[in-house]
Amino acid sequence: MRQVSIGALALLLAAIPAGARAPDGAEPGLDADTAARVTALLGRTLRMPETARYGRLRAGRAGAFCGEVETTNRMGQPVGPRHFVADLDAGIAGILPDGPELRNPGSPQDYAAMQRILTLYAANCAA
C-alpha cells in the first residue's frame, strides 16, 4: 500500500512543470523574481536577514505583498513567525508591530513607521 501511494505522488510531482512551482515560502501564482524582491526589501529591516525563513508569501488586496517571517532576536534565538507587509512600489516593508513595540517606540519617527506598516497591513492583508 505504501509503495502505491509513493508512486502516485511521484507521478503527480513529475506532471507539474518546474516553472509552475512556487518559490520557497510563496503561494502558487507568485513568481520567483517578485518573491526575491519582497524578501530583499524586508531583509533590509531585519537585524539578521540571513537567518530569516519566509512563509505564506502572497499578493495583497491593494498591491502590496503579505506573508510571515521567522527570524532571530539579537541573541540569536528564534522569535517565531511574525506577519509582515511589503510595498515594492513605495519601497516600504516591515513586520507587523505588536503591543509592546507600539507602547514603547524608540522615537516619534519609529512610531510613525509602525503606524504606516499597520495601515498598509490592514489595507492588504487583514481578514
Side-chain angles (χ1 to χ4, degrees):
M1 178 80 170
R2 187 171 202 183
Q3 291 176 341
V4 173
S5 62
I6 291 173
L9 178 62
L11 285 174
L12 286 173
L13 289 176
I16 300 172
R21 291 194 179 110
D24 287 343
E27 293 186 357
L30 190 65
D31 64 271
D33 180 55
T34 302
R37 290 175 46 216
V38 169
T39 58
L41 181 61
L42 183 64
R44 291 188 221 155
T45 68
L46 303 175
R47 288 185 183 171
M48 293 190 283
E50 65 278 0
T51 65
R53 296 179 58 183
Y54 296 88
R56 300 184 62 211
L57 184 57
R58 63 198 182 282
R61 290 185 299 271
F65 295 89
C66 313
E68 292 179 350
V69 63
E70 184 172 346
T71 188
T72 55
N73 61 19
R74 61 183 173 193
M75 296 183 301
Q77 301 299 315
V79 296
R82 303 260 317 259
H83 294 280
F84 75 87
V85 63
D87 185 342
L88 293 175
D89 294 334
I92 299 168
I95 294 174
L96 193 65
D98 60 10
E101 292 169 329
L102 287 168
R103 287 191 299 271
N104 192 20
S107 69
Q109 293 82 12
D110 291 343
Y111 183 77
M114 287 187 272
Q115 290 299 320
R116 183 173 47 199
I117 293 300
L118 286 169
T119 301
L120 190 60
Y121 186 84
N124 283 276
C125 312

